[in-house]
Amino acid sequence: MQFYEERLIELSVTQTILCFCNLFSSLNLPGDAHSEQQQKFSNQSSGPSYRKDQYFSKGQSRGERGRGRGGWQGGHQSVSEEMPKYITVSTFAQARAAEIKAMLKAVSQKSSNSLVFQTLPRHMRRRAMSHNVKRLPRRLQEMAKKEAEKAVHQKKEQSKTKCRKARRRHVNLVAEFNHRQRKNIWLETHIWHAKRFHMIKKWGYCLGNSPTEKSYRACYRAMTKHCLLQDLSYYCCLELKGKENELLKQLARICSIDTGLTFQEVSCLSGRFEGCLNLYRADRYPEDMLGPVTFIWKPRDGSENRQLWIWVHPALKQDILRELKAIFQCSEPEEVCITEPVTTSIQEEKQVEVVMRLGNKRKKEDKEGEKAVPVKKIIGDGTRDPFQSYSWIAQTSGVAISDRSMEILRYRLIGPLSNSVLTETLKAASVQTEMADSETELNNWWVENCKDSAKVSLHQCQSAIFELLEGMSSPSDMPPGTILGLTVGDPRVNLPKKKTKAMPDFQKYQDNDKVRQLYLKGVPADCAHSFIWDHDICKNVTENKISEQDLNHMRAQLLVPGSHLDLGPCESKIPILLVQQPGKMAGEDRPGWGSGWDIYLPKGWGMAFWIPFIYRGVRVGGLQEALKHSEYQRIPHTPNDFPDCQAGMQFAKELETSLLEKFKRHPPAKRANYVKLGTLSPFICPWGQLTKNWEGRMKASGGFLCPSSPHSDCCTTEGQTLCDPKAEVVREASPETGEAEETMEVMSSEGALKTEDKLLMQLSAWCYPTAGKDRRIRLISRLGQKEMAEDAFLPILTRYPRALIWVNLSLLRKGNPELHAMICIPTEDDLLQLSKDKLFCGPQEPKHRDIFKDKVQKQKEKKKKKKDNVKSLESDPAGILDEGATEDHEDLILGLWSDALPDVTSHCSRTVLGYVTRGDFSLAAGCGEALGFVSLTGLIYMLHNQPADKKGLVLLRTPASLQYRFARLTIEV
């Protein structure tokens, strides 16, 4: 290649010199004309001015120049006839120099990444050329030596990749895992989940979404007949400490007694029961909802200072924490905690020494030798930013707020056999009053507490109640939200030899007095106490955990392999907290379904409890199983079904973006044309538009509704929900300003307003038919139904002009409801045809005309025209900018509604009442079921006009279909 370059350079220089010589020799100018020629040169511009007659004689064209024999020589014979009369030498030389430079650059640069020996013809290549330079031709050897030196230098700079055996060493794995979870926090069960689940990154955590194996029905059977296990450690715990009066005074500002329970509930304040409520911004109820939370009070210990745990979803954490710091005026942090990664065992620093003593493995010492410290596993708050504060204190009231996320682990057992799984896996810790040797100092906190007779009797009472759980058929037999504190031994000691299925002991199912009292009265307030509230004890328990390696070494030293390992006083004592989950409470069907227990643990003990639960035959679920659990309970799921709080709006936007991107990925011929299908908003529910249209519709009718209240222009009104204490004010972005606008209230069906219980029951009773074979006389009499007259429903409409209500829908026949399906009001002809033909599935929506088709076609033509005229547009940057702006503004997509939404209630042939937020085939009901929101005004309008035997019948239509299907609408209370 070097030889070729040299020859090309010589040739180009020779040709250039020859060209100059020929030019000057051909210019035989006379003496008197010399001055005239110089005058022409002086008057000529600096740029070249080439014309056809300058280079070719009269009558000779460009194509005839090189037709003579001899190529260049042929042209040279008549050079005096072909050469121009005058020329600017500097300009001509400059142009030729640029050409030579470009040619040299092209020759010197390699056109590919291939090596020198790879550029040779195939017949000249030899295998030895890759490592022996002398096998190459002499002209290429110099270049090959340079490439070889460069490759050696690169190899020295690159670090050698460790072999798999080295990468899989424990120390290297821990270091790698610690590095990988800096961006998204890992739960302690992450490695276990990552091998068996589809993992997703959500809310700053890496969570298991669904199992990789087919387990949809198996998880439902586990929730119905056996037990399902979930890791809820990603939920955030906010701890409040301070005087009880000060705490209750400020917390009353972010909740309302109209929504049911508050922080002042007597049963919850004593610490016996867990409470749940909805939080709002301070003094803003019913507007500006923050989201649902659960809370637990620490039982009273005789001091005026109290301790409160508020458990929030990670999507709601920042908003709620910001509001708590605002109401308690916690501007300065209590301390900036620079945390260090905590090991799962205090003996882990001696790990190298223990391994060397056992002689099973030898680890390579690093540069520090014996002083090397093993890499510590990050647990709990180890992933936090060390320069960020996680504890705040109020200077005036002394209230301290701490973020204890990932400090307390939380597992959930769901299913009727949760009691059996708990009692088989966990055993109450034995009472210990003396320390046998120095190693028992690990449990000195337990020894000190066992010296107190009152605490010993309390522990014995807790153990007796815990053993009674095995005599109960289901966790739903306990009072809702019951709390039981307990101290248990190391569950790894009680592992069975093989994976077994925990089954109830029917001999213990006796109707004795103790079980009966537990049914009726629940757990005493003293038994709700747990040492998990003490930070120092939790830290001691985490740091002094016996490592898996030491535990396996002890098992190997047993005389009888596989026998029970008795650690005696060396066994760890772990404080836990058990919280009962009531399951399905609303409605008449499947009461108590989905009940279970929540287990609260200190950090570092996640896998120590997780594996024993797995060995009792539980099935593990992820985020999708949690979604189905709430769906079968027919309760709103956080944050999906809370469209008024900030997290709910963010979820709706992300879902819309995801569905729109999925829609665009399909080719235009394979997309559903939602404009022709009559679907205005297939990817998001326009709640604000729906409530606004229904309010305007009723105002225009005049006869059905009285004039709106003075507060009807506001998004919400005084009071709030009829079906749930979720006075949810939905905010939607204005298409003109992009700012959030308050639009309506949301009501869901978990609870009820204390002031509106009768109205709520009345509304629920109106949804049932009062005539025909489907009527429910006993239910209607129990709910106290009144005749649906104007004096009964006008007060509701006056108070809630823009309210949404949480409803359940069950399809009468075939059909599978989908996300964002429309809930519509059937016409009289639809109900009449259903009465005549029981197999009538439902009417069909007439196909609409796509009014945006021509605009989309014009937009495509503009884009095509723009591509054809790129060069002309490049000369006018301002034109490009203007066109780009108009193009963004008119970015139309075929099949989607592009303009501002019209009246969503009357766009289709059937009046739209609401939208479905979740829908699927229900394994519990054996038919398609859906959950969603409907306009309260529209619901009363529909029930008022429907015949007595057809009350509560609605139509469902999925966004990508024209077929309506009949469904039964119910409101569970």
Side-chain angles (χ1 to χ4, degrees), residues 588-852:
E588 289 188 327
D589 58 328
R590 297 180 286 114
W593 186 93
S595 60
W597 290 92
D598 279 5
I599 304 103
Y600 297 88
L601 313 168
K603 68 177 180 181
W605 284 88
M607 290 304 297
F609 278 76
W610 186 266
I611 296 301
F613 282 138
I614 300 297
Y615 266 73
R616 264 65 185 191
V618 301
R619 184 168 285 274
V620 182
L623 296 179
Q624 289 300 318
E625 283 67 34
L627 186 67
K628 288 298 175 184
H629 179 236
S630 62
E631 183 176 328
Y632 286 134
Q633 291 187 80
R634 297 169 184 168
I635 59 175
H637 188 74
T638 309
N640 306 21
D641 300 320
F642 292 87
D644 57 342
C645 67
Q646 193 66 31
M649 290 186 283
Q650 182 67 24
F651 173 81
K653 291 179 182 178
E654 292 176 357
L655 181 62
E656 180 187 18
T657 304
S658 174
L659 293 176
L660 182 59
E661 290 177 353
K662 184 179 179 181
F663 178 79
K664 289 180 178 179
R665 283 196 297 267
H666 290 83
K670 302 298 180 184
R671 299 176 188 170
N673 192 323
Y674 292 108
V675 179
K676 291 185 176 181
L677 294 172
T679 305
L680 292 174
S681 180
F683 306 136
I684 192 171
C685 300
W687 301 117
Q689 185 81 2
L690 177 70
T691 53
K692 183 179 180 181
N693 293 152
W694 267 110
E695 185 184 23
R697 191 186 183 97
M698 292 300 100
K699 285 181 179 179
S701 62
F704 174 67
L705 280 178
C706 65
S708 300
S709 64
H711 304 286
S712 61
D713 294 336
C714 300
C715 307
T716 57
T717 55
E718 298 274 336
Q720 186 49 41
T721 65
L722 296 179
C723 294
D724 176 65
K726 296 181 169 43
E728 306 172 358
V729 183
V730 176
R731 300 171 179 268
E732 292 187 350
S734 172
E736 293 84 4
T737 62
E739 299 179 354
E741 294 184 349
E742 301 178 5
T743 53
M744 81 288 182
E745 323 165 28
V746 178
M747 312 178 189
S748 52
S749 56
E750 284 184 348
L753 292 177
K754 291 184 177 180
T755 57
E756 303 290 346
D757 284 342
K758 293 183 180 179
L759 293 177
L760 172 61
M761 291 183 180
Q762 188 67 61
L763 185 63
S764 178
W766 285 340
C767 293
Y768 292 103
T770 57
K773 64 178 183 178
D774 293 333
R775 69 185 185 278
R776 301 186 182 183
I777 300 176
R778 185 178 301 176
L779 175 64
I780 292 172
S781 62
R782 184 162 62 96
L783 295 176
Q785 185 204 5
K786 299 179 182 178
E787 184 180 355
M788 193 173 183
E790 287 192 2
D791 58 347
F793 61 76
L794 281 181
I796 304 175
L797 296 174
T798 304
R799 192 170 188 180
Y800 308 102
R802 287 194 183 183
L804 293 178
I805 189 165
W806 178 259
V807 296
N808 171 52
L809 302 130
S810 298
L811 291 174
L812 299 185
R813 288 172 185 83
K814 67 178 183 178
N816 192 19
E818 296 178 3
L819 182 66
H820 300 152
M822 289 167 282
I823 307 171
C824 304
I825 301 176
T827 61
E828 295 181 1
D829 295 338
D830 299 335
L831 297 176
L832 182 62
Q833 192 167 356
L834 179 64
S835 302
K836 294 179 180 179
D837 185 8
K838 296 300 180 183
L839 300 178
F840 178 58
C841 294
Q844 278 200 344
E845 175 73 15
K847 188 172 288 189
H848 294 230
R849 186 177 65 87
D850 189 355
I851 60 176
F852 300 101

Side-chain angles (χ1 to χ4, degrees), residues 446-599:
W446 178 245
V447 176
E448 293 296 329
N449 284 284
C450 288
K451 292 179 180 179
D452 190 346
S453 58
K455 293 183 179 179
V456 171
S457 60
L458 175 62
H459 174 68
Q460 293 174 350
C461 179
Q462 291 174 338
S463 303
I465 294 176
F466 180 70
E467 292 177 358
L468 288 176
L469 295 180
E470 196 172 359
M472 294 185 172
S473 59
S474 174
S476 60
D477 296 338
M478 296 285 290
T482 299
I483 298 176
L484 175 62
L486 193 62
T487 303
V488 298
D490 196 333
R492 297 173 293 175
V493 178
N494 303 321
L495 272 180
K497 296 180 181 179
K498 295 181 180 180
K499 186 183 289 187
T500 59
K501 196 169 187 177
M503 299 301 293
D505 188 358
F506 294 101
Q507 294 180 357
K508 296 185 179 180
Y509 280 80
Q510 299 175 359
D511 192 16
N512 51 31
D513 294 337
K514 292 183 179 180
V515 175
R516 189 181 299 110
Q517 290 296 324
L518 196 59
Y519 280 141
L520 299 176
K521 298 183 179 180
V523 178
D526 295 339
C527 295
H529 179 270
S530 175
F531 292 106
I532 199 173
W533 291 94
D534 193 328
H535 293 195
D536 296 332
I537 291 178
C538 287
K539 184 178 180 181
N540 183 287
V541 170
T542 300
E543 292 179 349
N544 296 307
K545 174 190 171 188
I546 301 177
S547 65
E548 291 285 345
Q549 183 181 7
D550 293 344
L551 205 61
N552 293 333
H553 182 55
M554 295 176 188
R555 288 195 183 104
Q557 293 177 346
L558 291 174
L559 295 177
V560 180
S563 59
H564 177 72
L565 177 63
D566 187 9
L567 298 178
C570 298
E571 184 179 0
S572 300
K573 310 298 187 298
I574 308 102
I576 65 172
L577 202 64
L578 301 177
V579 181
Q580 190 262 2
Q581 298 298 319
K584 191 174 186 297
M585 299 179 64
E588 289 188 327
D589 58 328
R590 297 180 286 114
W593 186 93
S595 60
W597 290 92
D598 279 5
I599 304 103

